[in-house]
Amino acid sequence: MAASKPILLRFESRDGQFRLTVSPSDQFTSLLSPILDKLPKSVDSTTLTLSNKPHDGEERLLSSLNGVTIARVGLRHGDKLFLKYKDQPPVNGHGNGLKPTSTQSNNSSNRLNGLPILPSEDILISELPVTSPTTIIKNPWEVIQQSPLDDRLDKQDGKIPRPRDQKMCKHGPKGMCDYCMPLEPYAPEYLADKKIKSLSFHSYLRKINSATNKPELKSSYMPPLSEPYYRVKRDCPSGHPQWPEGICTKCQPSAITLQAQQFRMVDHVEFSSPALINSLLDFWRKSGSQRLGFLYGRYEEYTEVPLGIKAVVEAIYEPPQMDDADGITLHEWQNEKEVDEVAQLCGLQKVGVIFTDLIDADAGDGTVICKRHIDSFYLSSLEIAFAARLQAQNPKPTKWSDSGRFGSNFVTCVLSGDEDGGIAISAFQASNSAVEMIRADIVEPSADPSVMLVQDEEADDGSSTRTRYIPEVFYRRINEYGASVQENAKPSFPVEYLLLTLTHGFPTESRPIFNTSEFPIENREIIGESQEFRSVAKQLGVGGRSAEKGVRSASDFHLLCFLHGLGVLSKDEESLLCRVATTHDLADGFQLLETPGWATLLAILQESGERPPKRPSSFSFDTNPAPSSSHSGPGAAYVADDEQLAKRFKGTSLR
């Protein structure tokens, strides 16, 4: 029998039209793969339906046509079929439309470029394939789940009202003219008057969206945001071998011209209480070594900046680390996911990182040396690379970007000396260009903290093998004649082009959700402070030591993390405990006292040497908590015996 002559079939869907050349003897199920190649990646293949009419036609699931050939249905050359399908639900709020694989399901939050490029046990993004392409999402506004705060800011117009000008306005009280009409949130005259250095993210979004999409032209909508991409694109249509065997102008990145980023993702960092900073400084005061902690809090609207966002810090968690007088070495943080779970139960999330860089001035008055100023640096090249890696691990989902993500809300804070010898807080973010240059392995930190080095294309071992593609990097500066000139960034360039400065402060009325800080902080055994059962008993008032403590005794983030690690309370009981700790509700407190998990916890404390009183009196439910007392010194801490200490910190090492 002669072979069947190939025919051409036309297909139409809500995302466009395409053609396929098939054989009449082919089965319909064999068309699944070529059809999916023509459709968006978010299509659910199990819902793919064929029909002979766009509406009210005969519809059949493609998967139900197993064994049915094209010739059997009677399709001819040039016939058109209509496709209907549904999209997959977004994954963990990132909305890339792809179902997580078995390896991605445990690490879906690390999807930076549409691929699982960041293993949970490794924070070095330089290990990632530098040629991984960026996934473009069709209609991201339909599948991306961004934060509720971004949704609220999207609904605001952001207009800045102005009063009627008594000199220039000639109209009545209900009229409006150019001198009193509201300003746009990105108006340069308003920013200059209020001394706002950078636009807020949503103000910048309004600015570029008004230039990208013009509703009066009735043209198709285009996402206004696009992440920078400085890596070699894979699967080049030119057909040459993959990099480094081949490269062309279609897949190689363009030259990079660095300039100050005109917007920032977060405008302000607010610490809910000065006690958060004092507890971190206590470690440096007692040991003389630097300290690092991760900031847990939430994002809120910042009214001082048009459409602004602020990060409100409620707790600082100190991960395992080796501290020295001149630096910090982070160890593996094994219970990071558990701490994130406790924070989520409290309505918080990881919003940033803070570390100290302090040197005592030896003047005897508590002053420190000012080493970060305008003539030296504010954030070193090594610290910028560290901040960029953390921002890459915490991308911001947004429906206004063609890739479904843009930048990061993660902030970096430094405690260092100011020009007056006092201890000051500084808040920063790495620019989006800095994050992408770190991803692409284009730059590396320098021994000089004020400059960043541009990498060489050759391998690090000195061989001639090209391991990375380094595009041309330029930056603009003002020369000695006052002219703006373009300079080649090789071999190094100033770090100011990769840095954004944020404001910071404390609320006028301090109302932290955690109203006590007496429980020992984790991973401080080096200064004689450890978390023991006796510390829990003292915190909760077991044995009558602190009978005046009410429900605020459980309102301590470090205590909640410690109790979570014990595994005594069930999920519901732990959720109730976190609600009691954050809302201080009396009814929830009494309900917690009657749970079996709480009774088990009291029994454990009793076996550890503490005698609990009657259960109803373990909380006095004081609704007006007194200010938290200062942290007790190492000599006042309870010390367990060596066997209990060994069991408590089994597997923990300071090296």
Side-chain angles (χ1 to χ4, degrees), residues 283 286-287 291 317-323 331 519-532 535 562 631 634 637-640 644-655:
F283 185 90
K286 297 176 182 179
S287 66
R291 194 65 172 171
Y317 189 92
E318 301 175 9
Q321 56 193 283
M322 173 65 76
D323 304 313
H331 292 167
F519 191 72
I521 299 177
E522 59 282 336
N523 301 313
R524 286 195 175 187
E525 295 77 20
I526 193 67
I527 60 173
E529 299 179 8
S530 60
Q531 296 178 335
E532 303 290 340
S535 302
F562 180 79
H631 197 285
Y638 289 94
V639 180
Q644 291 179 342
L645 186 63
K647 292 181 179 179
R648 175 70 53 201
F649 301 101
K650 182 179 180 181
T652 301
S653 175
L654 296 180
R655 294 187 176 274

Side-chain angles (χ1 to χ4, degrees), residues 528-542:
E529 299 179 8
S530 60
Q531 296 178 335
E532 303 290 340
F533 281 112
R534 293 184 178 180
S535 302
V536 179
K538 179 183 177 182
Q539 181 82 0
L540 300 180
V542 176

Side-chain angles (χ1 to χ4, degrees), residues 23-100:
S23 175
S25 60
D26 292 342
Q27 297 183 6
F28 275 97
T29 52
S30 64
L31 301 180
L32 178 61
S33 179
I35 289 177
L36 291 178
D37 292 339
K38 302 291 185 179
L39 298 177
K41 301 299 183 182
S42 59
V43 172
D44 188 354
S45 60
T46 59
T47 63
L48 193 60
T49 304
L50 296 177
S51 177
N52 59 344
K53 296 181 181 180
H55 303 287
D56 300 329
E58 186 178 357
E59 299 180 358
R60 292 289 186 272
L61 282 173
L62 183 59
S63 58
S64 65
L65 298 177
N66 187 19
V68 180
T69 62
I70 297 175
R72 180 179 174 183
V73 179
L75 293 177
R76 298 180 181 179
H77 181 74
D79 286 349
K80 177 184 284 189
L81 295 175
F82 298 90
L83 299 174
K84 296 181 181 180
Y85 45 81
K86 296 181 180 180
D87 292 331
Q88 297 176 357
V91 181
N92 285 353
H94 293 270
N96 53 12
L98 300 176
K99 284 188 176 180

